[in-house]
């Protein structure tokens, strides 16, 4: 799990740095570019909220998070921010902001879920604290960059650059996902009382063999506490194994 968890946290952190700070640039775009004033700004942010709610309901309906949704949400967020930056039509801007909200929640909620499903129980709190720090702590840093770009070049240009960088990061993540076979990985396998997370190949080895093979032994050695190593359930012939969808 360390590499997949690092990838998800890194991708969300970078996209958050570049793309999720768009809220600081929307007011000047609404006033000076779209010329819709405070009322139009309210509708733009409401469109973002509706998109976020739609994404949350869609993910809940799907019921099985995957890395495809994670990278797809990041790409959608970045590309639609570019569309918003180029738009001079208020209806098109509303649609773009709806898509931005959809992309933000698709990426962040899926990353959150996948990380929690693939981290051992005894490490989940520590890993999630780092993930939350990366996710929430990177956005203010990016806001400073957005403001620095918006001051000489304009808010719309700043949003466009942020969206382009976010899309590039997400595209790089998509390449990594498909090259490493993580595109459809969504669950975890646990065995023993310590909640040790292992991948499907280890589960198959435990289920099909009377004694744990090298892959299972390595998974236990790398991820379990010392108490897990001594627990019979942790090294039994799959008696304590269970798969989390």
């Amino acid at each position: 799990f360390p590499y997949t968890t690092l990838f998800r946290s890194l991708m969300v952190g970078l996209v958050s740095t570049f793309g999720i700070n768009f809220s600081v640039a929307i007011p000047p775009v609404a006033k000076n570019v779209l010329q819709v004033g405070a009322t139009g700004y309210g509708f733009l942010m409401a469109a973002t909220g509706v998109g976020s709610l739609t994404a949350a309901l869609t993910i809940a309906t799907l019921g099985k998070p995957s890395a495809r949704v994670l990278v797809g949400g990041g790409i959608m967020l970045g590309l639609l921010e570019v569309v918003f930056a180029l738009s001079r039509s208020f209806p098109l801007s509303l649609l773009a902001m709806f898509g931005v909200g959809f992309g933000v929640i698709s990426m962040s909620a899926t990353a959150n879920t996948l990380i929690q499903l693939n981290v051992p129980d005894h490490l989940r709190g520590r890993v999630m604290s780092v993930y939350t720090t990366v996710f929430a702590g990177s956005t203010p840093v990016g806001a400073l960059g957005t403001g620095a770009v918006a001051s000489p070049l304009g808010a719309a240009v700043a949003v466009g650059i942020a969206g382009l960088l976010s899309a590039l990061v997400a595209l790089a993540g998509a390449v990594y996902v498909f090259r490493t076979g993580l595109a459809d990985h969504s669950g975890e396998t646990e065995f023993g009382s310590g909640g040790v997370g292992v991948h499907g190949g280890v589960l198959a080895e435990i289920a099909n063999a009377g004694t744990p093979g090298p892959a299972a032994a390595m998974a236990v050695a790398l991820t379990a506490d010392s108490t897990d190593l001594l627990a019979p359930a942790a090294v039994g012939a799959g008696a304590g194994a269970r798969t989390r969808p």
Side-chain angles (χ1 to χ4, degrees):
F1 76 90
Y3 303 106
T4 56
T5 299
L6 177 62
F7 156 70
R8 289 159 187 153
S9 300
L10 183 61
M11 177 179 161
V12 171
L14 289 174
V15 175
S16 298
T17 300
F18 300 131
I20 302 186
N21 52 66
F22 59 85
S23 59
V24 302
I26 301 301
V29 172
K31 179 181 179 181
N32 301 324
V33 178
L34 298 175
Q35 297 182 347
V36 292
T39 301
Y41 167 70
F43 277 107
L44 289 170
M45 298 310 296
T48 307
V50 173
S52 300
L53 177 60
T54 304
L57 294 175
T58 301
I59 292 173
T61 301
L62 293 175
K64 186 178 181 181
S66 71
R68 293 175 185 268
V69 178
L70 171 63
V71 297
I75 294 171
M76 175 182 286
L77 164 65
L79 292 181
L80 287 177
E81 281 191 354
V82 173
V83 171
F84 176 80
L86 297 175
S87 172
R88 298 298 181 266
S89 167
F90 184 58
L92 178 59
S93 297
L94 286 175
L95 289 175
M97 291 308 296
F98 174 88
V100 167
F102 193 98
V104 169
I105 296 302
S106 296
M107 180 191 67
S108 59
T110 301
N112 190 316
T113 303
L114 286 173
I115 289 173
Q116 294 200 54
L117 286 177
N118 287 277
V119 172
D121 292 342
H122 62 285
L123 296 177
R124 186 166 291 116
R126 281 169 278 181
V127 171
M128 290 308 299
S129 67
V130 173
Y131 167 78
T132 303
T133 301
V134 170
F135 177 64
S138 59
T139 302
V141 176
L144 291 174
T146 300
V149 174
S151 181
L153 300 178
V157 175
V159 172
I161 293 175
L164 181 60
L165 292 174
S166 298
L168 291 175
V169 169
L171 285 171
V175 172
Y176 173 82
V177 161
F178 284 98
R179 283 190 175 182
T180 56
L182 293 174
D184 297 310
H185 178 66
S186 59
E188 76 165 321
T189 303
E190 296 178 343
F191 62 93
S193 58
V196 182
V198 294
H199 293 291
V202 179
L203 171 64
E205 186 170 338
I206 296 173
N208 296 329
T211 57
M218 182 176 293
V220 174
L222 290 176
T223 59
D225 289 332
S226 59
T227 54
D228 296 325
L229 293 174
L230 298 176
V235 295
R242 64 185 185 276
T243 301
R244 179 176 299 173

